[in-house]
Amino acid sequence: MSDYFQIGTIVNTHGLQGELRVMPSTDDPGRFELLDAVEIFWDSDKVKYTFEGARLHKTLIILKLKEVKDRTAAEKLVGGVIKVPRSEAIPLEDNEYYQKDLLDMAVVTDTGEELGQIVQIIETGANDVYVVRPSNAEESKIKDLLIPAIKDCILSVSVQDKLMTVRLMEGLREL
């Protein structure tokens, strides 16, 4: 199967005309308006639908698909996950990365010390924080390392090599 990005989950129906309430899982909910089609996934099944329209409603997206004409048809889609192929993902600026590409990435210091892998990304107001789990964490009871995604710490990222090089600021190991 091709490489996909999840952009939302269908959480309910909206009205009687087959509209869907979608909880967005993208940083840019406006990206729904750029779609020509969506693919909805359930476990290993997927179905492609023609995009007809989208609008913001509080924290949700109200999505209209051409093939979904009424509430009964819309109810069958609740719980589905909306994904787009990587080729339709929003382009990145310099030094921006898809979170999906950073997860499980190996992290080493500028001196060559292997720190572990990124297991989680915490979004804060100012900057993301990468949770790095040492490869021997369970054996040695070493706790996860929290590395802020700032220029002073992140020296280089190679998505192709799945490798991030960092400079540990003083005190980061003690957090």
Side-chain angles (χ1 to χ4, degrees), residues 34-48:
L34 304 173
L35 299 172
D36 291 325
V38 296
E39 294 185 55
I40 301 177
F41 288 70
W42 298 267
D43 298 321
S44 61
D45 295 333
K46 72 175 178 174
V47 178
K48 190 170 188 171

Side-chain angles (χ1 to χ4, degrees), residues 27 37 86:
D27 290 341
R86 182 179 286 270

